[in-house]
Amino acid sequence: MYRIPCQLEGEEQAALFRWAQFQSRKYPELDLMFHIPNGGKRGKAEAARFKAEGVKAGVPDMFFPKAKWIETKRTDGGFDNRFYCGLFVEMKRISGGTVSTEQDRWLEELRRAGYAAEVARGWEAAAAIILDYIEGRYTPIYKTKAEKEAKACL
């Protein structure tokens, strides 16, 4: 049986930005979304230069700098209102690709700082997260290590 090769993370990300460009007529705020070039394999000299310039391991791949109030309905019938300063997305390929300890820590800290922060497996998952955020339906999906540990203590 022939298997279609899994797209690389960079290919998934490029597909997401093509989608965002296409959707920007309906959602002009998508033009604000950008990639944060922190990842990738680099030589020692280039890695040292990037580190000196402020590159940090684990920072999510993309940022959508649009603040948003989101109202979600609770199971008891009430509502929770949440203000997010913007949305960070860590891209992963659909199959494979793991969230590193540094990435998990960044996602946790960004959430504590008032940002929505998610992991998306593939461009379509990322697009769904972004649309949910834009249209006010966003609820956190990815559970950080700290969130999992806190739930286990209850």
Side-chain angles (χ1 to χ4, degrees):
M1 181 168 98
Y2 177 74
R3 289 186 55 156
I4 298 171
C6 182
Q7 287 192 14
L8 300 175
E9 186 177 307
E11 293 169 340
E12 294 282 358
Q13 199 161 291
L16 176 68
F17 276 90
R18 284 191 302 274
W19 167 85
Q21 185 177 18
F22 180 74
Q23 292 291 322
S24 66
R25 288 189 127 173
K26 184 174 182 181
Y27 305 103
E29 61 266 49
L30 284 172
D31 287 337
L32 296 172
M33 188 171 68
F34 60 89
H35 168 64
I36 301 167
N38 271 358
K41 304 293 182 207
R42 296 181 170 84
K44 285 186 179 185
E46 188 178 23
R49 182 175 60 85
F50 273 51
K51 187 173 183 180
E53 292 174 0
V55 169
K56 297 185 182 209
V59 174
D61 295 310
M62 286 167 292
F63 183 52
F64 180 54
K66 180 81 173 163
K68 194 83 177 166
W69 277 102
I70 297 184
E71 180 179 84
T72 55
K73 192 171 184 177
R74 295 190 312 252
T75 55
D76 66 1
F79 290 90
D80 285 326
N81 293 307
R82 180 75 198 260
F83 179 77
Y84 294 101
C85 301
L87 171 65
F88 282 91
V89 179
E90 173 59 35
M91 285 292 296
K92 295 295 176 195
R93 51 199 288 180
I94 293 172
S95 177
T98 59
V99 177
S100 72
T101 301
E102 293 88 2
Q103 290 167 335
D104 188 81
R105 184 182 61 78
W106 270 99
L107 294 166
E108 176 69 25
E109 291 301 322
L110 288 166
R111 284 181 174 175
R112 285 185 185 161
Y115 293 91
E118 286 298 332
V119 174
R121 296 206 172 272
W123 77 266
E124 290 168 316
I129 290 166
I130 294 162
L131 281 180
D132 282 350
Y133 183 83
I134 289 171
E135 294 178 353
R137 297 185 308 262
Y138 171 77
T139 55
I141 301 166
Y142 175 76
K143 301 291 183 220
T144 65
K145 183 179 177 185
E147 289 168 336
K148 290 175 189 171
E149 290 172 353
K151 189 173 183 179
C153 292
L154 297 177

